[in-house]
Amino acid sequence: MSDARIEAYSRALFEVAQAEGNLNIVEDELFRMARAIEANEKLRSTLTDASIPAARRQQVVEELLGGKASNTTIQLVSLIIGAGRGRDLPAIVNRLVQRASSEQQREVAEVRSAIALSDDQTKRLAEALSKSTGRKLNLKVVIDPSVLGGLVATVGDEVIDDTVRTRLEQLKTRI
Amino acid sequence: MKLFLSALISVEDPSQTHHWLFPEKAEILYGGIASCIVFAGLYKFGWPMIVKAMNARTAKIQKELDGAAAARSKSESDASGIRTALGDIESERRKILAEADSQATAIIAEGRVRLVKEVAELEAKAVADLAAARGRSGEELRGEIARLSSAAISSAVAASLNDRAQQDLIEGFINSVGASK
């Protein structure tokens, strides 16, 4: 999909979420959904398979997110999947997150962890990263078992990596 | 003819007086004159031809003698040339043999040097190949040890990453990032 189209879709999602008054929640849920699609090949192929009727793909989305995400998020994801743009959903959501963060004068900080963080940990981590980078951050936590343990935070071009995976890689290199 | 017949008849006739062996004087006269005429004719017409033929024969013989002398001279010259050539051939043969000996000696010496050099190179290559093979084996062994070690470490680390360890890692990250400013 062209950048213009991604921009247009992200702007539409942003406007809808803002109009519904739950931008932060929708943005966060969409972000998690996009990461889940990126990480799960089977889910990605199902949602982007043009041979599956759009109604069936939308039904999969509703079954997947039902009870776990807000209605607005479910409707927006269904809209993207129904329009046959499932393959571009991660890019659209990334653009949406950037837009929402810019709106709040914040920068996106993506943190990958092997396990979920508690609210307290998320809050303290956001504060620590803000203090470290000197910027206001919109923290997005991605559950990524491949990091094995520890955290890796990406803020713009800056990467703070203290994961077990990286340490093992360094150890392997030294060996 | 008549005279001849009469002579024959006279021989048969014992009454004839002339001698049975000597002719009559007239016959001698006529015979002598005829002989002189014949001889004169022969001298007049035959002698020049005889002289010419003899001169021609003399000239021919002389020519043949000259040709033989020339052939002999040429043969002697050829023989001298052949003797000279034989001498030259012998000299050339000696020269060629000497050159061949010299070249053979040089080729043998050069071949010996080349062989020694090639043997030295082959030995060096064999030593290098051996060292490389030894190094490869060592590297492969080290690589395999490293791979197994990494796998063992990864397995051990993954097994030790319980919830407590995960929380400690997260807290450690938060604290280190918070303290990094």
Side-chain angles (χ1 to χ4, degrees), chain A residues 20-56:
Chain A
E20 292 293 333
N22 54 357
L23 177 60
N24 288 341
I25 294 171
V26 170
E27 173 215 355
D28 193 57
E29 289 172 347
L30 284 174
F31 183 82
R32 292 173 193 274
M33 179 66 185
R35 298 292 82 79
I37 290 174
E38 276 182 344
N40 192 322
E41 170 64 31
K42 192 174 178 184
L43 176 62
R44 185 165 64 246
S45 62
T46 301
L47 296 181
T48 58
D49 189 351
S51 64
I52 299 174
R56 174 66 189 131

Side-chain angles (χ1 to χ4, degrees), chain A residues 110-123:
Chain A
E110 184 184 287
V111 174
R112 289 182 176 268
S113 170
I115 61 170
L117 302 185
S118 65
D119 290 342
D120 177 56
Q121 285 173 329
T122 304
K123 184 183 171 189

Side-chain angles (χ1 to χ4, degrees), chain A residues 127-153:
Chain A
E127 288 172 357
L129 285 171
S130 292
K131 184 182 172 189
S132 173
T133 59
R135 288 171 275 188
K136 289 182 179 178
L137 298 175
N138 180 8
L139 190 68
K140 298 294 177 191
V141 179
V142 179
I143 307 302
D144 183 359
S146 72
V147 302
L148 298 177
L151 301 173
V152 53

Side-chain angles (χ1 to χ4, degrees), chain A residues 152-171:
Chain A
V152 53
T154 306
V155 183
D157 295 332
E158 189 178 353
V159 178
I160 305 168
D161 192 342
D162 191 23
T163 61
V164 173
R165 178 183 61 190
T166 302
R167 290 185 188 181
L168 282 175
E169 290 296 329
Q170 290 169 347
L171 185 61

Side-chain angles (χ1 to χ4, degrees), chain A residues 115 117 121 124-125 128-129 131-132 148-151 162 164 168 171-172 175, chain B residues 146 149-150 153-154 157 161 163 166-167 169-171 173-174 177-178 180-181:
Chain A
I115 61 170
L117 302 185
Q121 285 173 329
R124 284 190 290 118
L125 178 60
L129 285 171
K131 184 182 172 189
S132 173
L148 298 177
L151 301 173
D162 191 23
V164 173
L168 282 175
L171 185 61
K172 284 178 187 176
I175 290 173
Chain B
S149 302
S150 299
I153 291 167
S154 299
V157 168
L161 281 173
D163 189 57
Q166 292 281 9
Q167 294 300 329
L169 287 168
I170 291 168
E171 291 299 329
F173 183 87
I174 293 170
V177 169
S180 64
K181 180 66 178 180

